[in-house]
Amino acid sequence: MSDAEKGAVDTFLEEIDPTVFLFGALLTVGVIAAFFVSPGSVESGITSLNDSLLGAFNWALLVIVFLIVVFLLFLIVGPWGKIRLGDESPEYSFLSFFAMLYSAGFAAGVVFWGPTEALFYYDNPSPLFGGVEGGSAEAMTVAVQQTLFHWALPQLAVFTIMGIAIGYFAYNYENVPLRVSSALTPIIGAENLDGPFAKVVDILAVFATIGGVATSLGFIGSQFITGLDYQWGINMGNAGILLVVTMMTLLFTTSMVLGVDRGIRRLSNFNMVLFVILMFATFIVGPTLFLILLGTQAFGGMITDFVSMSLFTGAGAFGGGNPEATNWMNDWTVFYWAWALSWSPFAGLFIARISKGRTVREVAFTGIVATSAATIPWFTFVGGTSVWAHHNGVADFSAVMAGEAGAEVSGFILFEAFPFGTVFMIAFMILVTTFFITSADSSTLAVSMMTTGGKARPSSINRIFWGVVLGMTAAILMILGGTGSANTLQQAAIITGTPFAFVCFIAMLSLIRDFGSNYGQVLLQDETVLVGSSTKTETEPPTGPGGPVESDDD
């Protein structure tokens, strides 16, 4: 072994946190290995636990995510928004910062679900809109409204709150590392960030990131392979799946090793340009005027019904209500929130990594407003065109809505109906691939940071190791998808995501506690006593505004 290789290995061994690295790796690899040993028993066990958690905590996920959205909106307009993460200038331009945050957070899911999600709500609207019949003209607007709600503010909010909390405590406190458990600094104490509770949080963060992201990347990879089969009749088979994922793994690992500036930043900028081009091309080729009218009404409906959509539980399992309403809410809204929460450790850590020098207001605005400004037109134009095309017989998505064909085929059915459909499909597949790469390399960078105790630039060996693990996991999920095991690991990620609802909530409380102590209360006076009586004794009545009014009577 050369001196350079020895140096790289020594650097890798010195930088890792042995507890988080070993337990995170063993837990992740162990779950995958268990599928090969006994997929049926593991699947049934995880499904049972998943159902129990949804039954007990579905309301908690709805309430916590809603409160986080409200808090972030307050940070944008309130006095705490001027607080800065660290004392340096921002490392990236705002457009690059926005592109990386959007690409790394959930853009791969946006591309995957863009052409297809509104179709399911069109066929089976939310029970909240009880008077809307599935397949009707009115269902078209409700479908896009529900889609905008799921992909605009709430999912982004859980990423953003973690990013602000991790970044604030890491950059504004001494000896606080850049890792997930740092978001809880005021609660557990800076001196306990190497304690057992913090270690458990970081280990769960590694598992949630690998399980959650790999499952999503497996779906994105399946979309790419489906496109090859649908358009050109290329049936890849298991060997082809391994080949495609191997090539994608090489691409995102190369991008990751190049670093944030040369790799992720440049590819994210390219993603956003292609994303905007494809979105507006769909808008122009599709039913343009209808999309304007549809988007205006759907956006207005989302704003008007935001609170009721956020807190709708169906109340079906109790009180003699309709259990189908609760099941619908669990299958869609609660599923999405739990899924986003399983991504929140990696997305939050990556957001913190690229947010140094920015104000809390900037990060909150970019995280939930600027990104929503990109997401809302995409789902309106692409999703709205899919619903319009099916409703008017331009394209047939019946097999997708009936579950006979996978959701990944919707984009290809849609673009096939366009003039120059092959060009649209090729652009769509390129976008799927590049978003796959940016999501994978940013999540792998985040896991590398988690397993090094918060090092902002982990060694290449560390990043390559987790890149290979992530790529292998995605390939296994795609191969096992036919047996239902992919769905099982997806449920495992949801199980991991549910505890992170409470981690995100505690992170929000940590920020409120610290901001209130150091930058002034915004609701109550600093000396307010909530319970009991004040220890201060007034020696004389106060004068001035609010004091006793003097009388002219003797």
Side-chain angles (χ1 to χ4, degrees):
M1 183 180 291
S2 66
D3 292 340
E5 290 172 328
K6 287 182 180 179
V9 173
D10 290 341
T11 301
F12 165 70
L13 294 175
E14 290 173 1
E15 73 178 1
I16 64 171
D17 182 322
T19 303
V20 176
F21 184 92
L22 291 176
F23 276 91
L26 290 173
L27 186 59
T28 304
V29 176
V31 170
I32 298 301
F35 283 124
F36 287 101
V37 175
S38 180
S41 59
V42 174
E43 182 177 350
S44 61
I46 291 179
T47 300
S48 176
L49 181 57
N50 175 75
D51 293 342
S52 298
L53 285 175
L54 284 179
F57 296 111
N58 52 6
W59 63 271
L61 268 64
L62 297 175
V63 172
I64 288 172
V65 171
F66 174 72
L67 292 176
I68 290 172
V69 171
V70 172
F71 178 63
L72 289 174
L73 291 173
F74 168 74
L75 289 180
I76 293 173
V77 300
W80 288 344
K82 64 184 178 182
I83 301 169
R84 188 174 296 275
L85 306 183
D87 54 6
E88 301 176 9
S89 299
E91 187 176 355
Y92 309 101
S93 69
F94 177 78
L95 289 179
S96 290
F97 170 68
F98 163 74
M100 286 191 290
L101 188 152
Y102 192 81
S103 298
F106 75 155
V110 170
V111 174
F112 182 88
W113 286 105
T116 193
E117 181 167 341
L119 292 166
F120 291 107
Y121 306 145
Y122 164 78
D123 185 55
N124 181 24
S126 168
L128 179 64
F129 308 103
V132 178
E133 182 181 352
S136 64
E138 188 179 4
M140 299 169 72
T141 303
V142 170
V144 174
Q145 174 181 327
Q146 187 73 42
T147 306
L148 298 186
F149 167 71
H150 281 158
W151 289 94
L153 297 176
Q155 286 201 64
L156 294 156
V158 299
F159 304 156
T160 306
I161 194 69
M162 288 298 292
I164 292 174
I166 295 170
Y168 173 75
F169 294 116
Y171 299 139
N172 294 67
Y173 277 61
E174 293 184 3
N175 301 320
V176 173
L178 193 65
R179 62 190 188 206
V180 176
S181 56
S182 297
L184 313 181
T185 297
I187 305 297
I188 64 177
E191 68 278 5
N192 295 319
L193 289 177
D194 287 321
F197 181 78
K199 297 290 186 187
V200 170
V201 171
D202 289 328
I203 291 168
L204 286 176
V206 171
F207 175 67
T209 298
I210 293 295
V213 175
T215 303
S216 298
L217 296 182
F219 285 126
I220 297 300
S222 68
Q223 194 169 44
F224 180 88
I225 291 171
T226 298
L228 295 178
D229 188 20
Y230 186 87
Q231 180 64 17
W232 294 286
I234 302 174
N235 190 343
M236 303 295 291
N238 289 347
I241 289 174
L242 288 173
L243 178 61
V244 169
V245 174
T246 298
M247 292 301 297
M248 289 186 174
T249 302
L250 288 174
L251 288 173
F252 79 69
T253 303
T254 301
S255 171
M256 177 183 56
V257 171
L258 286 173
V260 174
D261 186 57
R262 291 187 296 166
I264 299 174
R265 180 182 65 83
R266 293 177 181 176
L267 195 55
S268 297
N269 291 340
F270 170 79
N271 283 346
M272 294 309 300
V273 171
L274 183 58
F275 179 79
V276 171
I277 291 174
L278 185 60
M279 177 173 66
F280 280 102
T282 303
F283 173 66
I284 293 170
V285 174
T288 305
L289 181 58
F290 170 78
L291 293 175
I292 294 174
L293 298 174
L294 175 71
T296 301
Q297 184 172 336
F299 178 74
M302 184 193 72
I303 298 299
T304 303
D305 299 325
F306 186 83
V307 175
S308 58
M309 294 170 76
S310 296
L311 302 177
F312 175 70
T313 64
F318 305 97
N322 179 11
E324 293 182 2
T326 298
N327 291 336
W328 192 100
M329 177 268 302
N330 282 339
D331 289 342
W332 287 108
T333 304
V334 174
F335 162 76
Y336 270 132
W337 288 190
W339 192 242
L341 286 160
S342 74
W343 277 54
S344 64
F346 117 72
L349 190 58
F350 183 76
I351 290 171
R353 166 66 180 82
I354 63 176
S355 298
K356 189 173 185 179
R358 298 195 178 274
T359 63
V360 166
R361 180 175 289 113
E362 272 186 292
V363 180
F365 173 83
T366 307
I368 65 172
V369 177
T371 48
S372 293
T375 300
I376 288 171
W378 170 263
F379 279 103
T380 300
F381 299 163
V382 179
T385 301
S386 293
V387 171
W388 171 86
H390 182 81
H391 187 78
N392 291 279
V394 176
D396 185 7
F397 297 91
S398 300
V400 175
M401 291 185 289
E404 298 169 1
E408 63 270 11
V409 79
S410 295
F412 304 104
I413 295 175
L414 173 65
F415 294 129
E416 186 181 40
F418 283 9
F420 307 104
T422 301
V423 175
F424 277 90
M425 278 190 265
I426 292 174
F428 185 65
M429 292 176 69
I430 293 173
L431 190 62
V432 166
T433 304
T434 54
F435 271 134
F436 179 109
I437 294 168
T438 50
S439 293
D441 61 14
S442 56
S443 61
T444 306
L445 174 63
V447 173
S448 300
M449 293 166 61
M450 294 176 199
T451 56
T452 57
K455 187 176 181 180
R457 291 178 173 83
S459 67
S460 296
I461 292 180
N462 197 343
R463 286 180 281 182
I464 291 172
F465 171 81
W466 288 110
V468 171
V469 169
L470 186 60
M472 289 175 59
T473 306
I476 290 171
L477 293 179
M478 292 168 66
I479 292 171
L480 296 181
T483 68
S485 296
N487 181 60
T488 303
L489 191 56
Q490 182 178 345
Q491 291 177 329
I494 294 173
I495 291 170
T496 310
T498 300
F500 269 98
F502 299 96
V503 173
C504 287
F505 183 66
I506 296 172
M508 181 181 72
L509 296 181
S510 297
L511 289 172
I512 294 173
R513 177 177 177 178
D514 189 278
F515 290 172
S517 299
N518 296 317
Y519 300 96
Q521 298 283 355
V522 294
L523 180 61
L524 303 173
Q525 301 180 65
D526 291 341
E527 66 272 13
T528 296
V529 177
L530 294 179
V531 180
S533 60
S534 174
T535 56
K536 295 182 180 179
T537 302
E538 299 288 353
T539 57
E540 58 183 23
T543 59
V549 179
E550 296 182 0
S551 173
D552 291 334
D553 297 336
D554 292 333

